[in-house]
Every structure is written in structure tokens, then in C-alpha cells.
Amino acid sequence: MVMVRTVEDRLAAGHGRITCSLNGVSVVFSELSSTYPLKLLSPRLAHNDVAIVYVMNYGGGLVCGDRIKLQVRAEGGSRLLLLSQGSTKVFKVRSPNRASAHLGNPTDGNPLENNATTQLMDVHVAPTSAVFLLPDPVTCFRSASYTQVQRFHLSKGASMVLLDWFTSGRKSLGEEWVFSRYFSVNEVNVDGRRIAKDIMLLEEPLHDDTVIGTRWPSSRRSLSDRLKPYSCYATLIVCGPLVHGVVAQLKDKLRSLSVLAMVAPPRVLWGMTPADDGNIFVIRVAGLETEDVKDWLRESLRPLEEVVGIDTYRKAFS
């Protein structure tokens, strides 16, 4: 029988769909599809009870006007890792006066909206299933503007890990905290009830009146002044029965911490906040270098080795 896609089934540019379920002892994909500039790859693993999908972009990064939208469904007790290969690079915003900046949807009335670089992700996780979103960090280039919205919809008994982290930029080229805007929304719902919503907006203050009706105070601090000396920040959200080991280990770490006066800032700062009566935890991390945060994440999430396997877990922080 020949399957013919309907108009509704066809994916728009930059869209992707992932649907997986557990068939016996193996995770199988009923759909794994994407369109340029989004690219999805799933390698064969030694252990078939878990699957990995690499979420990537052609050309090694996102240019202004790219709009990525990914829908994910983990069903039937499947366990899925969503990874990337290298940091997500966000290139600078083009001037709206350039002809190439108007090559988006011709029906869009506002050319500034065509320049927006956005990534939208909707993740649905069925009972006993799990999705672990563990990408490499986002790196925004000078004058880049980036918007990201990630929504998780869990059924009771589902599990998740959501990692959202970003760097100061291309330090080797002298670019530190010189992007224009980083806006991130992470939302978690369980059985249709929102139990957590985290919003972060980092925006370089304007030094003129280019935005009508907006006058920033002259004393407003720059991103660099507000965020240094740390060059990497992470938000980690964990929920569900399969992350109990992670939560227990972090609680033990917290109990062992002592508050001392320090001459110099520590290499890593972190804290953990429970929500919804302890059913979900939000962890924030800051590090002097990206590798400091990466090492902290690798060690703190190590209990996931028992969930996805040692070899599979190593691929997340290789």
C-alpha cells in the first residue's frame, strides 16, 4: 500500500516531528521527519530500550529568520534522549533594510519579525515514558537575537529532564555578553495542569531612543556588567519517577555545602528549588567557564546512567 501525505501532513520549512514508542524491548520510531534547516538523526545503539535523536541545523547554526519548530511524542514506555552535536550557534541579526532580510513569508507585514531567530519545541510524554533534553549550550554571536520556547506535556507517571543553557559568546574572539537578546521560556504541564514556568530575558540596553516611547535610564548596566565573572549559565528542570536518583544526589550535595566568605568567586555556583509540593525541581547553575558547568552537569546527572545505560549517557556530555 502506498502512503500519500496530505497537505496537513506536510512539514513547513524548519519543522520536525518525532514519535516513538516501545515495541517489546526496542524503541521504534513511527515518525522521524524534518525539513531544512532542521535535521534529525537517530544512531543505532547497543541497547535498544532507549533511543537518541540528534537535533541539528544545516550550516552549523541558526541565521536570522530561521524558525525551528519541533514536535516530540514519547509513548508506550519509551525513553528518548534529545541531544545536539556541538553548541547551537546563533548568528547576528541582519539589518531589516537589506533585501535578503525580506525573503521570508511575503505575507508577514513586519520585516523585523522576519529577522527573529526562534526555536519552538512541544514535547508530549506518556505514562512510564521519558524524554531527556540534554543539548549542548546556545552560543549567541555579537548582535544576535534569539527566542526559544520549550513546553513539556507530561502524563502522570512520565519523567523528564530539561536542560537550557547558554554561554557568553565567542570568548576566543573577544565576544563576551555582546549579543542583543536571549529570551527563553520553559514550561512543564502534568495532566493538563501547569506546574512550572520559567522565563529568562537577557537584553542589552539601548543607548538611544530607537524604540519609540522607550527611554532606558543612563545608569542601566550592560549584560557584561550584570553577568560577569561567569560565562555560562544553565537551568535544569527535572520531574518524574525516573529522576528520583538525580534529585536524591542533589539533595545530598546541598546538605554538604557550607556558607563561607570567599575572597574570589567559586568556579561553580548552583541552587535547587522545589515546586508543586516537591514533584518538580528547578536547578540553576553558573560557571566561570563552560567546561565548569558541563562537568557539574555530567556529575550531577550521573544517576541517569541507571536509566539509559552508561554508554548512552556518555554521549550526552562527550
Side-chain angles (χ1 to χ4, degrees):
M1 183 175 69
V2 177
M3 299 295 293
V4 179
R5 283 189 178 274
T6 65
V7 173
E8 291 78 9
D9 289 333
R10 294 171 187 163
L11 292 174
H15 287 211
R17 287 197 289 254
I18 303 171
T19 302
C20 65
S21 60
L22 194 63
N23 183 9
V25 295
S26 300
V27 175
V28 296
F29 291 96
S30 57
E31 183 163 21
L32 183 64
S33 56
S34 60
T35 56
Y36 181 91
L38 176 64
K39 185 177 183 181
L40 304 175
L41 291 177
S42 181
R44 186 179 298 275
L45 301 177
H47 299 282
N48 295 327
D49 56 345
V50 62
I52 289 178
V53 173
Y54 287 97
V55 182
M56 301 177 292
N57 299 288
Y58 286 91
L62 296 169
V63 300
C64 66
D66 279 350
R67 297 178 181 180
I68 305 300
K69 185 175 182 180
L70 179 60
Q71 295 179 318
V72 181
R73 291 185 177 274
E75 303 170 342
S78 57
R79 299 176 184 182
L80 175 65
L81 272 74
L82 297 176
L83 308 179
S84 60
Q85 289 187 324
S87 65
T88 298
K89 301 173 182 64
V90 182
F91 298 99
K92 68 179 294 183
V93 172
R94 290 193 298 261
S95 167
N97 295 322
R98 289 178 54 181
S100 59
H102 296 267
L103 296 180
N105 189 335
T107 62
D108 289 347
N110 187 352
L112 287 174
E113 292 181 359
N114 290 343
N115 271 4
T117 301
T118 62
Q119 283 205 116
L120 310 177
M121 184 181 297
D122 271 295
V123 181
H124 296 260
V125 191
T128 71
S129 302
V131 173
F132 306 112
L133 176 60
L134 299 172
D136 290 291
V138 173
T139 297
C140 293
F141 289 15
R142 181 184 298 274
S143 303
S145 180
Y146 178 68
T147 295
Q148 171 182 276
V149 180
Q150 300 178 138
R151 295 188 177 96
F152 273 67
H153 307 271
L154 309 182
S155 298
K156 187 176 181 180
S159 300
M160 60 156 285
V161 172
L162 185 161
L163 173 60
D164 173 16
W165 56 324
F166 56 92
T167 73
S168 60
R170 297 182 294 178
K171 291 182 66 175
S172 61
L173 298 180
E175 294 184 6
E176 271 196 281
W177 304 120
V178 291
F179 54 82
S180 295
R181 189 173 188 265
Y182 181 93
F183 179 56
S184 177
V185 179
N186 296 303
E187 183 178 304
V188 180
N189 303 272
V190 175
D191 286 340
R193 181 174 66 91
R194 188 171 68 194
I195 64 172
K197 186 173 185 178
D198 182 82
I199 300 176
M200 176 173 291
L201 173 61
L202 298 175
E203 195 166 32
E204 189 67 27
L206 298 173
H207 299 293
D208 54 32
D209 297 331
T210 55
V211 179
I212 298 175
T214 302
R215 293 181 180 273
W216 303 115
S218 58
S219 60
R220 195 177 186 208
R221 299 165 65 204
S222 68
L223 282 178
S224 180
D225 290 339
R226 284 178 279 162
L227 298 172
K228 282 187 174 181
Y230 297 104
S231 63
C232 184
Y233 288 82
T235 298
L236 186 68
I237 303 176
V238 299
C239 180
L242 293 182
V243 299
H244 285 172
V246 172
V247 172
Q249 177 172 285
L250 288 173
K251 286 182 176 179
D252 288 341
K253 279 188 174 183
L254 274 178
R255 282 190 287 267
S256 65
L257 292 178
S258 58
V259 179
L260 298 172
M262 296 185 179
V263 177
R267 295 204 64 85
V268 176
L269 277 177
W270 70 280
M272 182 168 70
T273 304
D276 193 46
D277 297 325
N279 292 317
I280 187 169
F281 292 84
V282 179
I283 301 101
R284 300 191 189 279
V285 190
L288 293 178
E289 302 291 341
T290 301
E291 286 301 316
D292 295 325
V293 177
K294 186 175 184 179
D295 291 343
W296 187 94
L297 290 168
R298 181 191 295 112
E299 192 58 37
S300 298
L301 293 174
R302 195 171 296 280
L304 290 181
E305 288 181 344
E306 299 179 6
V307 178
V308 300
I310 295 176
D311 292 337
T312 301
Y313 179 74
R314 285 176 179 168
K315 297 179 186 298
F317 298 105
S318 58

